[in-house]
Amino acid sequence: MPRSLTVRHGVYVDSVALMQVSTEVKTTPGVDDALIGMASELNLDLIRGAGFDIAEEVTPNDLIIAIRAQSEAALSDGSDAVDVAFDRLAAAARESTGPGGSVQPALTVESALAGSDAGLTLVSVPGESAGIETLAALDSGSSVLLFSDNVDVSTEVELKTRAAERDLIVMGPDCGTAIISGVGLGFANEVRRGTFGIIAASGTGAQQVSVLLDAAGAGVSHLIGTGGRDLSHEVGGLSARQALRALAVDAETEQVIVVSKPADAEVIAEIEDLAAELEVRVNWAILGPDSPSLTAAVETALSTADFNVPEWPHWGVSEPAGALTGSLVGLFCGGTMADEAMLIARSALGPISSNIPLAGAELVSGTAVSADAHTVLDFGADEMTRGRAHPMIDPSLRLQAIRDLGTWAGVLLLDLVLGHGSHADPADDLAAAITEAKSAAAEDGRVLPVVVSLIGTSADPQDFSAAVRALVAAGAEVFLSNAEASARALAHLGYEAQVSTVAESSMPQSRACLNSSGAQAATDSVDTQSLSGLLETAPSVVSVGLSLFAEELRAQAVPVTEVPWKPALGDPAALYQVMADPRRREANAQAVERMLAAGAEVVGLRPARECLGLREDEFLHSGPPLEWDRASGPMRGALAGAVVFEGLAETLEAAEAGLADGRFSFAPCHSRDAVGPMAGVVSPSMWMFELVDPVHGNRAYCSLNEGLGKVLRYGANNEEVLTRLNWMRDVLGPVLAAAVAATGPLDTKNYVTQMLQSGDEGHNRNRTATLLFLRDIMPKLFTLDFPADDLAEVARFLGANDYFALNLVMPTCKLAMAAAKGVPGSTLVVTMARNGTDFGIQLAGTGDQWYSGPAQIAEGLYLGSYGVEDANPDIGDSAITETAGIGGLAMAAAPAVVRLVGGDVAFAVDTTRRMYEITFAEHPQHQIPVLEFRGVPSGIDLAKVLRTHVLPQINTGMAGKVAGVGQVGAGLVTPPAECFTSAIEGLSEQRR
């Protein structure tokens, strides 16, 4: 049978969208089956099991599209199956960018929270990335519902500890359910409001308790999920303690039910002591050998609160149950339902094998179960959901297991969980699978009883009554209580279990002190927490991950800001480690504050040998360090030209030979607090602008701009170039030095402000600053004791060279970034520079360490007959302008620049809006008129670049790749991702 398998490397689509696409492709004419998912181990096993070979190496961040068709024609290019798959995946990618039309969507949790009044973030991304987004939310002052599973316990403790320090809470990881002020989050049933607060280290357990309370006429004030491990010894009830303190001061809550799978006894005892201190009335629904039934715990809580205990409803039950032989097979979506079933059944059947076994029972891998063993499987367990949607969303794995395992089971025990977030219509598919399993058993001469616990209410988005009818019509017995369903399954095997008894709570009840409104009055001496007001009003939410949950919140009329998410570039473990550094927030705040406060004044001009201490045979160049044998054509041409200019060699060939054998040394401009455009070559006799930061005392230097055309910085080195350099050394430098000395310090930071308000962006448009500089020195220029012809030529040269002030703007930006250097723990990018071979960055937290990747060829417009084949990879220190927030980051301020570098005005505005997503702040002085005087995006954050895949935009000139050619065009370029991925690894190494 024809098969097609396509791998798209580095393409992420969330699991719910993939499930929807798979379903649609499967129904395409000519298609027998379709498996479309991320390349997790579970999905790879399924794809291989379906007969597909995966020859190439894949990772969990790769998308696999596997289609089995009835004919080759169905798989050919342009066929329905292929078209449907790629069209739907493209639509899912577009939808993942979120609503908003032309408005730039928030690309990070931080910007989403900053642009809304949300106090809660719902994180539902793969586990290896969940800590990253949770940290981002906590650092932004938001509590988190962490739906994601596969988060290690040390990360959980770290996140919850950080949250508690800030009066926030992390509900999770693996927190499937919460109800805050009537709003259901994740998987939550629509239950009536009431006086019972629920603290739940169990998702489906909490749903079971809440629907039973609803059926009894009671209701829920808040349901605070904590994640299934919260009450373990390792985690120590960190979130449960916070939840208890918050509910203690909540006006709606009169009593609390604590729900959990089997929990650590010492942790429970400590929380009970805390409840006594807080004077909160607590009932315990903690599953364990002596308390196997959540239903019994709810009955106790109802009796304690003076509610009548009803008879729990059931449907399709025929009495008595038949005493059959065979094995109990339980296939659950809810882990707590599975635990409860095993606790109830093992008193009669002994240890139950499972993929989440109780103590002393056999561990089962996947669905590889033995026909003669009693088995209970949790399809929501971590290993079953890695790379797949939860079975309450995508039940396909369990449905297949029902068909497969039901053929030999003695009795089949299932759950079906309704509510927000769950499959829109799960009952019909489950009923069909039950019908198939029962029919297969009948063909084998057996009767297969099927018992289902239906967790839901009549107010849930799904039709509860229709679900009951469908299941009963398929021959299932249906119970609202999972404990009663488990007892019924045992009865079919000839065993009796008593599970519903009103009794004293399994934990002693704390003393209660009710205030006049009926809520508990916490004693003044006991620490309470408001969770930053989380329980006071219905929440506004930021959602990152599964779009399904955002849609469910909107259906409840909850304000939601959705963040499109994709796996971060690089190693997520390294990124998490860096973001978890306790120094990071303060370090970044300090670095950015220093950057924004830095000033810049031209205080003089001096030859490089004086101000930089260059020896006669020593030269500087742009970018990170470089060896001669790796140097590009324009870099070789510029260095060789400078050697000849200094009189150290008579020919360019001799100069190159001396550079190759080490007679003439060269180092990065940045190593001497200098910057240089393009090749950036500085030789000892070249005059340098000297700028000082009056706030921090740093100094920065830059050579004088030669103008356009064939110039040394573009690698040109002919007689025309050398003649101009001689004039600059003998006339231009001395004249400007005298003019600046006579005029006094010139505020170049103010130049940048005026440039942005006059249509310049500070990198490829510098006309305003050039004219401002000329205006400031002109009154003194013609009073200087120099020949009049020389003074006139200097004025003409400056007036005709719009780019002249670039060499003032660059050291101005260098000073801003120098102020931010040397802050351990900071992820602020303080340098971006290119040498024509490599693109390198430096960070505020790692000193002078370079992190590099291959320089890219810009995309843009070419001069004359030049084309992309003539261009050298990107080169120059001028990206220091973008590092400081202008240039390409501020393109919106200079719409005319797009005529030089390509693009249009809308592109320029969109680019700047996108740059705000990867920066820390907006500059208080440098503002963009077209964006209503919003400050330029300032302070590139390494972590945000990696998380958003948004690389800093750079406006640049293009040098010819052959030495001596000069400029061939101008365009747009971004750094290679390798700079940032290696930088995060470097920062991570520092923390180990």
Side-chain angles (χ1 to χ4, degrees):
M1 186 171 289
R3 292 179 173 86
S4 167
L5 187 138
T6 304
V7 177
R8 290 295 176 91
H9 296 284
V11 175
Y12 177 82
V13 181
D14 79 54
S15 55
V16 174
L18 290 173
M19 176 195 72
Q20 295 167 340
V21 174
S22 293
T23 300
E24 186 167 347
V25 174
K26 285 178 183 178
T27 63
T28 304
V31 172
D32 277 346
D33 196 11
L35 297 166
I36 302 177
M38 304 308 294
S40 66
E41 283 302 318
L42 178 60
N43 286 339
L44 291 176
D45 288 345
L46 291 172
I47 291 170
R48 292 187 182 107
F52 290 88
D53 292 327
I54 305 172
E56 58 189 297
E57 185 176 345
V58 293
T59 74
N61 287 334
D62 298 331
L63 174 66
I64 298 183
I65 303 169
I67 301 173
R68 187 170 63 235
Q70 297 168 3
S71 67
E72 291 289 350
L75 298 176
S76 62
D77 289 343
S79 68
D80 288 344
V82 175
D83 282 351
V84 168
F86 286 101
D87 287 351
R88 287 298 298 124
L89 288 168
R94 288 194 299 271
E95 291 163 6
S96 72
T97 62
S102 62
V103 177
Q104 172 69 49
L107 300 183
T108 65
V109 168
E110 296 94 321
S111 60
L113 288 166
S116 69
D117 60 356
L120 181 63
T121 301
L122 198 164
V123 176
S124 55
V125 302
E128 62 270 17
S129 300
I132 294 167
E133 302 306 324
T134 301
L135 279 174
L138 295 175
D139 286 349
S140 299
S142 171
S143 289
V144 176
L145 187 144
L146 181 50
F147 176 84
S148 310
D149 54 12
N150 293 296
V151 177
D152 64 76
V153 70
S154 62
T155 298
E156 177 175 352
V157 171
E158 189 168 35
L159 294 172
K160 290 184 172 182
T161 301
R162 181 168 296 202
E165 291 170 352
R166 300 174 186 177
D167 192 25
L168 303 170
I169 188 169
V170 172
M171 295 179 275
D174 202 10
C175 176
T177 302
I179 301 174
I180 304 298
S181 298
V183 173
L185 298 150
F187 302 128
N189 299 96
E190 192 69 37
V191 297
R192 69 189 76 207
R193 297 290 292 273
T195 59
F196 280 95
I198 300 175
I199 299 172
S202 160
T204 49
Q207 290 186 263
Q208 171 76 102
V209 169
S210 65
V211 301
L212 291 177
L213 289 174
D214 181 87
V220 175
S221 58
H222 307 282
L223 191 168
I224 303 176
T226 65
R229 292 186 305 223
D230 190 69
L231 298 179
S232 67
H233 175 74
E234 293 86 353
V235 182
L238 288 170
S239 290
R241 297 169 198 266
Q242 287 182 272
L244 190 60
R245 291 187 175 100
L247 291 173
V249 294
D250 177 61
E252 294 186 66
T253 304
E254 295 181 4
Q255 51 272 318
V256 172
I257 302 177
V258 178
V259 184
S260 178
K261 304 174 186 179
D264 184 83
E266 291 184 8
V267 174
I268 294 299
E270 291 171 0
I271 292 176
E272 190 208 358
D273 289 342
L274 176 61
E277 292 180 55
L278 293 167
E279 299 184 336
V280 177
R281 181 185 297 161
V282 174
N283 285 274
W284 304 88
I286 309 294
L287 290 178
D290 299 324
S291 52
S293 168
L294 294 179
T295 300
V298 171
E299 292 172 350
T300 299
L302 289 168
S303 297
T304 302
D306 297 325
F307 282 89
N308 292 325
V309 176
E311 179 179 343
W312 305 114
H314 53 264
W315 302 267
V317 177
S318 58
E319 296 288 354
L324 304 174
T325 59
S327 300
L328 169 69
V329 175
L331 305 175
F332 287 86
C333 292
T336 304
M337 301 299 94
D339 276 335
E340 185 179 43
M342 288 189 287
L343 285 165
I344 290 170
R346 75 173 182 177
S347 60
L349 304 179
I352 312 294
S353 62
S354 175
N355 62 333
I356 55 166
L358 300 176
E362 180 185 358
L363 173 65
V364 172
S365 176
T367 57
V369 301
S370 172
D372 57 358
H374 301 296
T375 304
V376 170
L377 298 180
D378 171 21
F379 283 81
D382 285 4
E383 71 276 5
M384 303 285 267
T385 58
R386 189 172 284 111
R388 295 185 62 87
H390 192 279
M392 285 159 61
I393 301 172
D394 177 7
S396 56
L397 279 181
R398 188 176 73 144
L399 292 175
Q400 188 58 49
I402 291 170
R403 297 183 182 98
D404 294 342
L405 304 184
T407 57
W408 51 261
V411 60
L412 199 57
L413 178 60
L414 311 170
D415 63 350
L416 180 62
V417 187
L418 307 181
H420 297 292
S422 292
H423 192 288
D425 184 20
D428 286 345
D429 287 342
L430 181 58
I434 290 170
T435 299
E436 288 187 39
K438 290 177 73 71
S439 297
E443 290 176 5
D444 199 31
R446 298 185 302 108
V447 173
L448 174 62
V450 179
V451 185
V452 179
S453 58
L454 178 59
I455 313 301
T457 73
S458 59
D460 280 334
Q462 303 85 355
D463 189 331
F464 184 89
S465 296
V468 171
R469 290 193 299 271
L471 294 172
V472 170
E477 299 175 322
V478 182
F479 292 79
L480 188 68
S481 162
N482 185 67
E484 292 189 354
S486 300
R488 180 66 175 173
L490 286 177
H492 280 295
L493 296 177
Y495 299 97
E496 182 177 353
Q498 184 69 35
V499 297
S500 182
T501 303
V502 178
E504 292 297 319
S505 171
S506 61
M507 297 290 175
Q509 216 180 110
S510 300
R511 297 179 298 278
C513 175
L514 301 183
N515 61 25
S516 58
S517 67
Q520 286 68 38
T523 58
D524 292 338
S525 61
V526 180
D527 177 37
T528 58
Q529 290 181 302
S530 70
L531 304 180
S532 297
L534 178 64
L535 305 185
E536 294 174 6
T537 59
S540 175
V541 180
V542 165
S543 178
V544 53
L546 297 176
S547 294
L548 171 69
F549 290 144
E551 293 167 6
E552 292 290 338
L553 287 167
R554 292 190 186 100
Q556 299 175 72
V558 174
V560 182
T561 302
E562 214 173 338
V563 177
W565 183 87
K566 59 182 70 174
L569 297 169
D571 179 10
L575 178 55
Y576 174 80
Q577 187 173 46
V578 169
M579 290 183 65
D581 187 338
R583 304 170 299 173
R584 188 178 71 96
R585 286 183 71 213
E586 184 177 341
N588 283 333
Q590 179 185 358
V592 172
E593 180 182 6
R594 290 168 61 175
M595 168 194 169
L596 298 178
E601 295 177 347
V602 181
V603 295
L605 289 86
R606 289 192 286 161
R609 64 170 59 89
E610 295 181 18
C611 59
L612 301 181
L614 289 187
R615 302 186 310 269
E616 293 307 311
D617 59 353
E618 191 173 16
F619 299 82
L620 300 181
H621 64 83
S622 61
L626 182 68
E627 303 80 31
W628 178 256
D629 60 0
R630 297 183 65 247
S632 65
M635 181 63 75
R636 291 182 176 222
L639 284 168
V643 171
V644 173
F645 165 65
E646 291 293 338
L648 300 176
E650 293 186 2
T651 66
L652 294 172
E653 292 75 15
E656 289 198 13
L659 289 161
D661 65 21
R663 280 179 288 151
F664 312 126
S665 65
F666 48 93
C669 290
H670 279 286
S671 67
R672 300 291 182 96
D673 298 321
V675 282
M678 301 308 293
V681 169
V682 175
S683 65
S685 65
M686 290 182 180
W687 286 81
M688 308 290 290
F689 280 120
E690 183 172 10
L691 280 72
V692 66
D693 172 5
V695 178
H696 303 102
N698 295 318
R699 291 180 182 267
Y701 305 89
C702 190
S703 57
L704 306 184
N705 192 283
E706 308 159 78
L708 295 177
K710 285 190 175 296
V711 290
L712 188 74
R713 70 177 186 273
Y714 278 100
N717 49 25
N718 59 15
E719 190 63 32
E720 174 190 345
V721 172
L722 297 177
T723 298
R724 185 186 305 109
L725 290 175
N726 285 321
W727 176 80
M728 293 173 69
R729 178 192 62 202
D730 299 336
V731 177
L732 181 63
V735 169
L736 291 182
V740 169
T743 304
L746 303 176
D747 185 351
T748 54
K749 182 178 182 180
N750 185 55
Y751 284 180
V752 173
T753 298
Q754 294 188 60
M755 291 171 71
L756 294 167
Q757 298 194 21
S758 302
D760 291 352
E761 37 74 84
H763 190 163
N764 266 348
R765 276 185 65 89
N766 297 274
R767 182 174 302 171
T768 298
T770 298
L771 295 177
L772 288 171
F773 176 72
L774 188 58
R775 178 202 66 183
D776 287 345
I777 66 170
M778 191 66 73
K780 299 293 185 181
L781 182 66
F782 287 101
T783 68
L784 300 176
D785 187 19
F786 286 89
D789 287 349
D790 287 347
L791 297 178
E793 183 59 26
V794 167
R796 282 193 296 270
F797 181 78
L798 267 61
N801 182 4
D802 289 345
Y803 276 83
F804 188 80
L806 173 63
N807 294 46
L808 290 169
V809 173
M810 288 173 57
T812 299
C813 294
K814 171 68 174 174
L815 286 173
M817 305 321 301
K821 288 190 72 172
V823 184
S826 174
T827 54
L828 177 71
V829 178
V830 294
T831 307
M832 295 194 296
R834 314 87 93 204
N835 58 30
T837 302
D838 305 313
F839 193 121
I841 67 171
Q842 294 177 321
L843 305 176
T846 55
D848 293 328
Q849 177 67 47
W850 288 96
Y851 301 101
S852 300
Q856 310 294 299
I857 294 179
E859 295 182 6
L861 304 177
Y862 289 88
L863 302 175
S865 61
Y866 291 123
V868 65
E869 67 279 0
D870 302 304
N872 194 77
D874 198 24
I875 188 169
D877 288 334
S878 55
I880 194 68
T881 57
E882 279 82 8
T883 315
I886 60 173
L889 270 68
M891 283 179 70
V897 81
V898 298
R899 300 181 66 183
L900 174 66
V901 298
D904 54 28
V905 173
F907 170 79
V909 173
D910 289 346
T911 296
T912 294
R913 290 188 186 279
R914 195 168 62 254
M915 295 299 104
Y916 287 110
E917 295 292 327
I918 61 171
T919 50
F920 285 111
E922 298 178 16
H923 203 291
Q925 182 175 330
H926 302 334
Q927 299 173 342
I928 302 175
V930 73
L931 297 182
E932 298 183 351
F933 293 92
R934 190 175 180 182
V936 299
S938 301
I940 297 169
D941 178 17
L942 168 69
K944 289 182 180 179
V945 170
L946 293 170
R947 288 164 54 211
T948 62
H949 297 214
V950 174
L951 298 167
Q953 184 67 69
I954 298 169
N955 296 340
T956 188
M958 289 185 277
K961 64 183 180 183
V962 176
V965 168
Q967 185 175 10
V968 298
L972 303 170
V973 74
T974 59
E978 291 92 329
C979 296
F980 300 94
T981 55
S982 62
I984 203 69
E985 291 170 4
L987 268 178
S988 176
E989 286 290 337
Q990 287 190 349
R991 283 208 68 201
R992 291 175 187 160

